[in-house]
Amino acid sequence: MKNILTIAGSDSCGGAGIQADLKAMSAQGTYGMSVITAITAQNTKGVFAVQELDLDIIKKQIEVLYEDIDISSVKIGMLSSSDIIKTVHETLARVKAKNIVIDPVMISKSGYYLLKEDAIEALKDFLKIGTLVTPNIPEAEVLSDMKIETEEDMVEAAKRIKSFGAKNVLIKGGHREDNCTDILLTENDEIVRFEGVRFETKNTHGTGCTLSSTIASYIGKGMSVEEAVKLGKEYISEAIKNSFSIGEGVGPVGHFIDLYKKAGVDFE
């Protein structure tokens, strides 16, 4: 079994962050581990507070894992400040981390800013260690400093983000109104389109976390970036299709829908 690490924030609601990451990693048949960077107080209706962890404990979590365990890939999620970004950056470089998938978390679905504005430049510099960067359109607009409306815009934004040093860039198209095609710019500058299916559901909490963690799991299992993205898209599509409500707001995607059904859970 491959060991996959997530470095991200904790979601008390369990739908996103490290909780979603660990579920997604387990669903792909890998062993998930976590380095927590921040604790959020949130439910299905939004994020209400964030408490960053001390830099020393973030660094120590990473160091002790790499001292003991063979880690096949890393998924990076919420790094809320420039100091946290730099600490994670320096520590991963020191332990020679490989296969790094960066999901540049900036704003929650409820509109809460999870990345401080003065940390954007540090994030751009951090992207150079990424095997793959997976921004959605709002995140890609910030990173590329351009408006994205068409697939051509997505390609141009991917090129700008790749110029920071990332090997591969996946621009997720779910925020577009006309379609939800994702665009992958590969290490060899090839453009790969992944057409998606849009499901009529409000329950999409943790989609970005789930997709990036799934991709990291497949890369850790030895697959190419393109194949990992393809399988990741298939998994997240099924998870959204089988999402469900747990509160009054945005519910989680269905990571273990087959196990839930086997256990007799009725979502109707």
Side-chain angles (χ1 to χ4, degrees):
M1 185 182 296
K2 298 299 183 179
N3 305 310
I4 316 297
L5 174 62
T6 169
I7 302 177
S10 170
D11 172 8
S12 55
C13 189
I18 60 164
Q19 286 82 355
D21 296 339
L22 294 174
K23 292 171 188 176
M25 291 169 180
S26 297
Q28 315 319 318
T30 62
Y31 183 75
M33 300 168 292
S34 64
V35 167
I36 302 174
T37 61
I39 298 171
T40 69
Q42 60 179 298
N43 56 28
T44 64
K45 294 185 285 187
V47 179
F48 297 89
V50 173
Q51 177 66 61
E52 296 176 351
L53 269 68
D54 290 339
L55 300 178
D56 286 344
I57 190 63
I58 293 173
K59 179 175 69 172
K60 198 63 178 178
Q61 287 178 87
I62 298 171
E63 289 175 341
V64 297
L65 288 173
Y66 275 91
E67 287 170 3
D68 179 48
I69 300 168
D70 181 17
I71 298 173
S72 297
S73 65
V74 187
K75 173 265 170 81
I76 308 291
M78 177 184 173
L79 306 177
S80 54
S81 71
S82 58
D83 286 341
I84 290 176
I85 292 170
K86 291 173 183 176
T87 296
V88 172
H89 189 168
E90 293 169 0
T91 309
L92 288 178
R94 189 163 58 251
V95 300
K96 296 180 173 57
K98 60 186 178 181
N99 298 327
I100 300 172
V101 177
I102 302 174
D103 183 17
V105 176
M106 294 184 180
I107 306 173
S108 73
K109 277 189 171 62
S110 61
Y112 194 103
Y113 282 79
L114 300 173
L115 178 72
K116 296 175 181 176
E117 188 174 353
D118 62 4
I120 293 174
E121 291 305 314
L123 177 61
K124 289 180 180 179
D125 183 60
F126 180 64
L127 298 184
K128 65 187 178 187
I129 70 170
T131 302
L132 175 68
V133 181
T134 65
N136 58 31
I137 285 181
E139 292 160 349
E141 287 181 332
V142 173
L143 292 171
S144 64
D145 194 27
M146 63 175 284
K147 185 69 176 174
I148 300 174
E149 296 179 340
T150 65
E151 283 192 20
E152 291 73 19
D153 293 337
M154 294 171 72
V155 171
E156 175 59 27
K159 290 179 179 178
R160 294 188 185 188
I161 295 170
K162 190 170 183 284
S163 72
F164 299 137
K167 291 184 174 66
N168 304 269
V169 179
L170 178 69
I171 307 289
K172 299 175 292 189
H175 284 77
R176 288 181 60 196
E177 294 183 0
D178 51 346
N179 69 58
C180 52
T181 298
D182 294 352
I183 297 293
L184 173 67
L185 176 62
T186 71
E187 187 172 4
N188 297 322
D189 292 327
E190 297 176 356
I191 305 297
V192 185
R193 299 174 73 257
F194 295 92
E195 295 187 9
V197 178
R198 196 181 297 278
F199 299 98
E200 293 300 321
T201 177
K202 69 174 182 176
N203 298 319
T204 56
H205 189 44
T207 51
C209 303
T210 297
L211 177 61
S212 54
S213 294
T214 300
I215 293 171
S217 296
Y218 282 119
I219 291 176
K221 292 169 80 170
M223 296 184 183
S224 68
V225 170
E226 183 176 340
E227 183 66 13
V229 171
K230 176 179 178 292
L231 293 173
K233 285 282 292 180
E234 291 175 359
Y235 176 72
I236 191 59
S237 293
E238 281 300 306
I240 295 172
K241 180 181 177 181
N242 292 285
S243 61
F244 52 94
S245 296
I246 60 171
E248 298 177 10
V250 179
V253 298
H255 291 93
F256 302 121
I257 198 67
D258 290 337
L259 291 178
Y260 292 152
K261 289 177 179 178
K262 186 177 179 180
V265 176
D266 184 5
F267 294 107
E268 299 299 328

